[in-house]
Amino acid sequence: MKKMIRFSIFSAALFLFLSHNAFPQISVGIRGGVNISSFKAPRPVKFNSKAGLNAALLINIPFSPKFSLQIEPGFSQRGSNFDMDGQWNLDSARQRTHIFGKILLGYVEVPLVFQYKPRFGKFEGIVSLGPELRFSLGPQEIKSTSRTYKDGVLVEDTYTEYDMRQPNGYRTFDFGLVGGVGVSYPLQFGRIFTEARYHYGLRRMTSNSELYNKGVSIHMGILIPIKK
């Protein structure tokens, strides 16, 4: 983990230095969009996708006409909906317990993506790939409803909220890989773009689970070149 962080920081610093000297047309911008996030995990819990928002500042550093490094510090809402359903016989009665709810997570995310940008007339393609660092910020909680039935009749209905921040919950740091494809179009003062991405977490969210962040995102944004 430490080696990956150091490598990402070193790569960003190296390309900042090279780009500043060879390609001074650095661009800055913003983007915003929607996450469709969930978890990669073994059964019996069924995790379903949950929508959230994402937004980031952009620093795009070219190091050739078609290749660049883009640094994207921002905020992202992640998490998942979940559902568990079990049935068994107890004292000659058929008992069923249904537990469902949602996990709410907030992160400061810092993707460091290398981008390839082939041109198609006025349009410019975008192919992105790189590491992604996450630092927890905001809610880290579970909102859960548990319903118990006996012979089809509801006998218990309980709503519970759990705070999942450390030291007993989710880790405050996560990392993974992100890749995406998109397209941009020139304006008088910059370029407007849209992109779809897939996010794949590489670190377990707790020390004793096989739970990993994953999901897709769609965003739009604008980049404006800044002269040296």
Side-chain angles (χ1 to χ4, degrees):
M1 180 183 69
K2 291 182 178 179
K3 289 182 179 180
M4 182 176 182
I5 296 171
R6 290 172 183 169
F7 175 76
S8 300
I9 294 173
F10 173 77
S11 300
L14 177 62
F15 284 115
L16 273 170
F17 174 77
L18 295 176
S19 303
H20 178 75
N21 289 277
F23 297 92
Q25 198 68 38
I26 294 174
S27 298
V28 298
I30 57 173
R31 65 163 171 80
V34 177
N35 295 325
I36 307 297
S37 60
S38 186
F39 297 134
K40 178 170 70 77
R43 294 183 179 273
V45 182
K46 180 181 179 182
F47 289 103
N48 299 311
S49 298
K50 174 188 167 299
L53 300 177
N54 68 71
L57 302 175
L58 310 176
I59 304 171
N60 188 276
I61 307 155
F63 52 95
S64 83
K66 291 184 178 180
F67 291 89
S68 65
L69 170 70
Q70 188 156 286
I71 305 170
E72 306 179 354
F75 180 76
S76 186
Q77 294 177 328
R78 297 197 173 276
S80 178
N81 295 316
F82 65 89
D83 193 289
M84 293 185 292
D85 201 338
Q87 300 185 47
W88 60 91
N89 292 319
L90 181 66
D91 296 331
S92 72
R94 187 65 174 171
Q95 183 164 310
R96 174 189 173 213
T97 297
H98 184 204
I99 303 173
F100 60 94
K102 55 187 176 181
I103 301 173
L104 304 175
L105 303 175
Y107 290 101
V108 172
E109 291 189 344
V110 188
L112 303 169
V113 292
F114 298 93
Q115 294 187 324
Y116 171 61
K117 298 179 178 180
R119 292 189 177 275
F120 306 96
K122 287 188 176 182
F123 289 93
E124 190 175 72
I126 303 171
V127 180
S128 302
L129 181 65
E132 183 174 56
L133 311 178
R134 300 188 187 95
F135 306 88
S136 64
L137 178 70
Q140 307 286 323
E141 59 184 352
I142 299 176
K143 297 183 177 182
S144 172
T145 298
S146 175
R147 292 175 179 168
T148 301
Y149 302 82
K150 286 187 177 180
D151 292 330
V153 179
L154 179 64
V155 295
E156 185 177 357
D157 190 344
T158 305
Y159 175 79
T160 309
E161 295 187 5
Y162 302 93
D163 188 343
M164 295 301 293
R165 286 172 290 192
Q166 284 290 349
N168 298 316
Y170 297 129
R171 285 171 164 162
T172 57
F173 173 72
D174 186 26
F175 63 87
L177 295 175
V178 58
V181 293
V183 64
S184 71
Y185 187 81
L187 303 174
Q188 288 184 342
F189 52 86
R191 300 189 75 89
I192 188 171
F193 67 90
T194 184
E195 188 178 6
R197 290 180 176 176
Y198 182 75
H199 306 260
Y200 188 85
L202 296 175
R203 191 185 192 206
R204 291 185 299 177
M205 297 184 63
T206 66
S207 60
N208 58 355
S209 77
E210 293 296 325
L211 203 63
Y212 297 84
N213 268 308
K214 72 170 187 175
V216 299
S217 65
I218 302 172
H219 58 248
M220 295 184 65
I222 188 168
L223 281 169
I224 302 173
I226 296 178
K227 293 185 178 180
K228 188 175 179 181

